[in-house]
Each structure stands twice: as C-alpha cells, then as structure tokens.
Amino acid sequence: MELMPGVRASHVDTDRIRMHVLEAGPDDGVPVVLVHGNLSTGRFYEHLMTRFGDRYRVIAPDMRSFGQSDPAPLDATRGLSDWADDIDALLRALGVSAPPHLVGWSTAGAAIVRYAAAHRAASLTFLDPVSPYGYGAVHRDGRPAFDDFAGSGAGGANPEFVRRLAEGDDSDESPFSPRTVMRTTYWSADFRLPRDREDVLVAEILRTVIGDDGYPGDGAESSNWPGFGPGTRGILNALSPKYCRWDDVVDLDPKPPVLWTHGTNDLVVADGSMLEFGTLGQAGLVPGWPGDDLFPPQPMITQIRDVLERYAAAGGLVRTEMFDGSGHGPHVDADVRWLAVYLDFLAGAS
C-alpha cells in the first residue's frame, strides 16, 4: 500500500534490531519522534507527518513485533524499556544527536519516560497514555490489589480477538474483529475513516506478531481473583503495573516540558475503563469480584493528572489539552486541532 506523498520509508539496521521507519522533513531538522501504541504502527501518524513544515525531521518507527520491524521478543519484566532502548538505538543509527521531541501514544507514554530517564529529551508529549501505574489492578496511589498483581497482564486479552488477529481477519462481521475493535475503541463513536485509509490501518494492525513474545504475551495463573496475573513476556505483560510505571517522571532532571493530550471519550484509558477488570467486576461482568475496597476500578485519568501535578509542583512545565468528544486517538479523529496544539507546543519547547 503506497505511502502518502512526502513520506519516505526505510529499514534501518540498529545495534539492537532492524526497524522499519517512516520519515518526513529535512534530515537536519529538529528531531520529532512519534511512537505508536499497542496494536498499531508508525502509519497511524502518517497523515500528520508532512504537515510539520520544513523545520522538523519527523520520525515514526514501527516498534518491535509491530509493523515491519523485526519480530523481536519483548522482555515484559523491563516494562517498556525495550522500546526506549530501541528508540535510542534507532536515533544513533540515523545519526540524530540532538535531544528529540518525543510523542508517546497509549503504551508508548511509558516508553518515552523510560527514554527520558536514560537520555535527554527536548519534550515529552503524552497522547492518551497508559496510566503512570500501568494497566489494571491498582488503587489510585498505585498500590496493587494483590501482591502478585492479579488481574493484569496477558490473561486479560479477549481470546476471540486474539484468534481473529492471528487469522488475519479484516472483516467487520464481529465485534471482536480488529476492524471493529479499531472503530469502536480507537476513535470517537461518530468518527469513521475513509474506507481506503481504514483498510491501510487494519492491514497494519494485522502485522502484529502474535504469541508469547508479542501480543498478548505469556500467561500466568493466580490464586487471586480473577485467576490470572502477569507473565514475563510480551506486550500486555509489559503494561502490567508489576513492571510498567512512569510516575518517576517527577524525578527527571532536567525536566523537559510536557504536553498531555487526551480524548474525553477515550474508552481505553479512562477512569473506569471497561477494558480493565476492576470495572468489569464492579459491573458484574466477571463473577467473584472482591469489591471496591480491594479491587476498585482503576482511575487512570486521575492517576495521570495526579502525577503530572506533582511534576509541575517539582518545577516542570505541564500543558494539558482535553479533546472533547475524541476517543483514544485524537491525533486521528481530531487531527487538525491536535496537530495545531502540538505545533504550538513544539514552537515553545524548541
């Protein structure tokens, strides 16, 4: 499927893995790295890349086991540090020496903090990021519901969705097909991509590496409700609060300016997301829920706000923009406004 005019693609051999990368803008431009989230690729940013002007070198890689990059295993016990290290390796291979402006969508919100903790970043933009305490099974302050972090990790994946993903299902015949899941959870309910563009992005989702080292990851049983906990491999385990935290962003020194953008109708990262087991249990959809005191719905938006308020109190610059009516991807379903906000932020941060 052809790229949009002005966007170029290459495979880059790094000292870690071989990565597929989209780029736009001059090679000597200010580096902006757009990092996709779970079940997506760099092409989810493609429509924006030529609209940055001639000041910025815009780089959108496919992360390991997604898109056309190497199907390298993900060590979940490192959280998203494998992704952070891959970004560093890519920038070195591309000859980028200036601190990059980093955008992290969803899962990648944790990855860009891990990068900034090890290397200097010019700015951090959180685009509907995973909570700073990981995904699922924690109280507001990040304490786990159970010591083994039961209720988080690969065991929470819907088996019908995983089956259809593995089989390359590009139909919309089921609520669990990748196309339907993208329509209903990535964007706002009243937004629909043009069919040809939707086809491109569904094809990108179907490039996901399925299995213990990719999506969803290896399973682990638990004696605690709901009967599973995080394994040690693959993307959903890497998002478990057992391994994934970025509340240490508060300790960064120096502190890059931060932009947080979020869709108000996000169903994935929300206070009371129906993809999280505290919410599912409270709603009676998973029997045996131990109750609010032990396993409350995760207040993800509140957690993000809490941590970024601490970042600001510690001297960091934080700008927040909520996108009314947008879903999990306001850079797509509100792309004109999102890009305007981001370019205005970049102008002040560069």
Side-chain angles (χ1 to χ4, degrees):
M1 300 177 185
E2 291 187 3
L3 295 172
M4 292 181 174
V7 177
R8 54 192 185 272
S10 64
H11 281 90
V12 179
D13 290 311
T14 78
D15 56 20
R16 287 177 56 81
I17 61 171
R18 192 170 195 240
M19 299 185 74
H20 180 256
V21 184
L22 301 184
E23 292 190 71
D27 287 345
D28 61 352
V30 175
V32 175
V33 183
L34 309 175
V35 190
H36 67 78
N38 188 19
L39 296 168
S40 57
T41 71
R43 291 201 78 171
F44 280 70
Y45 291 112
E46 182 185 4
H47 62 294
L48 302 174
M49 294 179 67
T50 61
R51 294 152 62 182
F52 277 73
D54 58 7
R55 183 181 181 188
Y56 300 103
R57 180 181 185 179
V58 186
I59 302 166
D62 293 347
M63 304 311 293
R64 62 174 57 210
S65 295
F66 292 97
Q68 299 179 59
S69 288
D70 278 354
L74 183 68
D75 180 355
T77 67
R78 303 187 70 223
L80 274 297
S81 289
D82 272 346
W83 278 24
D85 292 347
D86 290 344
I87 294 166
D88 172 58
L90 173 64
L91 294 179
R92 287 188 283 107
L94 291 174
V96 174
S97 57
H101 296 274
L102 297 170
V103 176
W105 180 28
S106 193
T107 294
I112 64 173
V113 175
R114 297 277 58 79
Y115 179 96
H119 315 279
R120 188 165 181 183
S123 71
L124 299 175
T125 294
F126 297 106
L127 174 51
D128 292 62
V130 63
S131 163
Y133 302 112
Y135 203 93
V138 290
H139 295 261
R140 176 173 174 171
D141 61 2
R143 288 178 296 115
F146 298 107
D147 288 344
D148 64 353
F149 295 86
S152 68
N158 183 286
E160 177 68 6
F161 172 73
V162 176
R163 181 184 71 81
R164 288 177 177 272
L165 186 64
E167 292 176 355
D169 179 8
D170 67 356
S171 75
D172 58 2
E173 66 181 22
S174 164
F176 303 111
S177 71
R179 186 183 298 271
T180 305
V181 169
M182 184 177 75
R183 287 177 180 173
T184 56
T185 65
Y186 287 36
W187 329 128
S188 61
D190 59 354
F191 176 81
R192 183 65 61 86
L193 285 163
R195 182 66 185 218
D196 59 345
R197 189 62 194 164
E198 184 179 83
D199 288 345
V200 168
L201 298 187
V202 170
E204 291 296 295
I205 294 173
L206 293 176
R207 293 180 183 273
T208 300
V209 174
I210 308 302
D212 287 351
D213 288 318
Y215 183 91
D218 63 331
E221 294 183 357
S222 172
S223 60
N224 294 311
W225 185 88
F228 68 88
T232 61
R233 299 150 61 194
I235 189 67
L236 292 191
N237 293 318
L239 288 167
S240 164
K242 183 174 183 178
Y243 311 120
C244 176
R245 289 185 69 142
W246 57 267
D247 56 314
D248 60 345
V249 68
V250 174
D251 301 323
L252 291 180
D253 184 18
K255 287 180 166 54
V258 163
L259 171 65
W260 173 30
T261 64
H262 211 104
T264 60
N265 289 352
D266 189 346
L267 301 179
V268 178
V269 177
D271 285 358
S273 169
M274 291 300 292
L275 302 180
E276 188 271 324
F277 274 75
T279 306
L280 292 173
Q282 186 185 66
L285 298 175
V286 180
W289 179 58
D292 274 313
D293 290 343
L294 183 58
F295 204 123
Q298 184 181 0
M300 302 178 192
I301 301 299
T302 300
Q303 291 170 333
I304 296 167
R305 185 173 288 111
D306 286 349
V307 167
L308 293 183
E309 285 178 354
R310 288 170 48 206
Y311 188 83
L317 174 68
V318 177
R319 175 176 172 181
T320 298
E321 294 283 346
M322 291 289 158
F323 286 74
D324 189 40
S326 281
H328 190 53
H331 64 303
V332 175
D333 67 17
D335 63 324
V336 173
R337 183 187 164 206
W338 186 89
L339 186 59
V341 166
Y342 184 54
L343 289 176
D344 182 66
F345 170 74
L346 272 184
S350 298

